[in-house]
Amino acid sequence: MLNQNESELIFNDDGSVYHLKLKPSNIAGSIILVGDPQRVELISKHFQSIEFSVTNREFKTITGIYKNKRISVISTGIGSGNIDIVLNELDSLVNIDFKTRKLKSKLTKLNLIRIGTSGAIQKDIPIDSLLISSKGIDIDGFLNNYKISNNHTYNEVNNYLNDYKFNNHKLFPLCFNCSDSLFEHFKSVSDFTGVTVTCNGFYGSQGRSLRIETSNQDFISEIKKISFTNDRITNLEMETAIIYGMSKILGHNAISLNAILANRENGTYSEEPNKTINRLIILTLDKLSNL
């Protein structure tokens, strides 16, 4: 049911949606999502032409043409809460009539491609490699805020997810698949595929301890116990599962492409992170141009 109250879907004075400061005509059907606003510029510098650009808070959007393909790039900022804002507002741009505040009779399916950085938790996944997320686990249960049917979640996970909830006193973790069609289209970009665990923070929630002792010092070894028939837990970050989950619920296609800059098991970090990120950007743009 669509809530039409002005307090729920907020517009700016110019008619743009509240946080992203976008109007429906400002975005393409294929959208690259990045965390860092500076990465929007890094990607759009490869465009042949720029059609539109706007910045509001941490949300920067540029829409332009790359090899005859209209593409938008949007910075989400970091974390689950920001993805919640971005996915809801992007969906409203294409599927809600801003004049009537009613759901459109014909819904639009967006292609959402995340280009992000991540840390591997398997010893054999080297830094500076590229990884495509076949699934995303919302380990902190952020998406329990929404009603989710069993058709949207991935049910092959073993009972360890229930144990994880009990041991850590958290909301029930949820697992979501990527888009099958986008996985097939982009899989040649990656060196590895695997299951990405999405955490709600960078330090304590990922088992990092600087001066404050974490409540779960065995976080990585515990996470790696989650098992699948043909997949394994490979990396940690802060957005993928929320993108996958909300895309499933809203009916959009989503894929997450990760530049592996750290290996938590080996204690290593990339010496050339920008080179790795740039390689992923070019490979992604080239594949996206013929989607």
Side-chain angles (χ1 to χ4, degrees):
M1 180 180 293
L2 179 63
N3 191 328
Q4 300 180 35
N5 292 339
E6 293 182 4
S7 60
E8 309 306 296
L9 177 58
I10 305 172
F11 300 125
N12 298 305
D13 290 342
D14 64 354
S16 62
V17 72
Y18 186 61
H19 296 93
L20 299 184
K21 208 173 176 59
L22 294 171
K23 298 177 182 179
S25 61
N26 297 149
I27 61 168
S30 293
I31 300 172
I32 296 174
L33 302 175
V34 297
D36 185 356
Q38 294 185 5
R39 199 169 294 156
V40 176
E41 298 280 357
L42 195 63
I43 294 172
S44 63
K45 74 177 184 180
H46 299 287
F47 289 178
Q48 279 75 54
S49 61
I50 301 294
E51 172 189 316
F52 175 83
S53 178
V54 68
T55 301
N56 190 46
R57 307 186 190 192
E58 62 265 58
F59 308 112
K60 181 177 181 65
T61 301
I62 292 179
T63 296
I65 303 297
Y66 179 82
K67 293 185 177 179
N68 297 317
K69 176 78 171 182
R70 188 172 185 249
I71 299 171
S72 294
V73 189
I74 299 177
S75 62
T76 63
I78 296 173
S80 304
N82 277 17
I83 297 300
D84 186 46
I85 290 171
V86 171
L87 266 290
N88 271 301
E89 293 194 1
L90 282 179
D91 180 74
S92 76
L93 287 166
V94 295
N95 288 323
I96 296 177
D97 187 315
F98 278 17
K99 292 182 179 179
T100 65
R101 294 179 173 269
K102 293 182 179 180
L103 196 66
K104 294 180 179 178
S105 58
K106 183 178 180 181
L107 299 182
T108 296
K109 186 185 292 286
L110 295 170
N111 292 316
L112 304 172
I113 301 95
R114 176 185 179 270
I115 294 179
T117 58
S118 186
I121 58 173
Q122 300 286 353
K123 287 182 177 292
D124 64 311
I125 298 178
I127 53 175
D128 299 316
S129 60
L130 306 180
L131 184 145
I132 190 169
S133 302
S134 56
K135 303 173 185 68
I137 296 178
D138 171 18
I139 205 68
D140 295 299
F142 179 89
L143 287 175
N144 284 281
N145 289 303
Y146 295 104
K147 290 183 178 180
I148 301 171
S149 72
N150 289 333
N151 293 331
H152 291 130
T153 57
Y154 189 82
N155 295 317
E156 194 192 329
V157 190
N158 71 357
N159 290 330
Y160 182 75
L161 276 179
N162 287 308
D163 296 335
Y164 185 87
K165 173 192 174 185
F166 176 78
N167 291 334
N168 292 273
H169 308 289
K170 296 186 178 183
L171 292 170
F172 184 63
L174 296 166
C175 183
F176 302 91
N177 285 339
C178 68
S179 160
D180 290 338
S181 60
L182 290 186
F183 181 85
E184 288 301 316
H185 189 80
F186 284 96
K187 66 181 181 181
S188 62
V189 168
S190 63
D191 304 307
F192 297 90
T193 65
V195 181
T196 296
V197 171
T198 294
C199 306
N200 63 7
F202 184 78
Y203 288 98
S205 60
Q206 292 190 29
R208 285 185 173 91
S209 177
L210 301 183
R211 290 208 315 124
I212 306 172
E213 186 175 349
T214 61
S215 60
N216 185 359
Q217 296 184 7
D218 299 319
F219 175 74
I220 291 178
S221 61
E222 290 293 302
I223 284 294
K224 287 167 68 175
K225 292 178 183 177
I226 300 172
S227 62
F228 298 81
T229 300
N230 298 308
D231 241 334
R232 61 174 178 163
I233 304 292
T234 51
N235 60 307
L236 306 176
E237 50 74 88
M238 291 179 280
E239 292 88 25
T240 290
I242 315 304
I243 294 171
Y244 282 9
M246 295 193 69
S247 294
K248 289 286 184 184
I249 298 166
L250 293 167
H252 302 297
N253 295 318
I255 198 74
S256 179
L257 310 173
N258 304 269
I260 301 298
L261 300 186
N263 187 298
R264 298 288 301 282
E265 287 286 74
N266 298 330
T268 53
Y269 186 79
S270 174
E271 294 183 359
E272 297 182 302
N274 291 333
K275 182 179 179 180
T276 302
I277 293 167
N278 284 329
R279 179 164 71 95
L280 178 56
I281 287 171
I282 294 299
L283 288 171
T284 303
L285 283 172
D286 284 341
K287 290 297 291 184
L288 187 52
S289 68
N290 58 31
L291 180 64

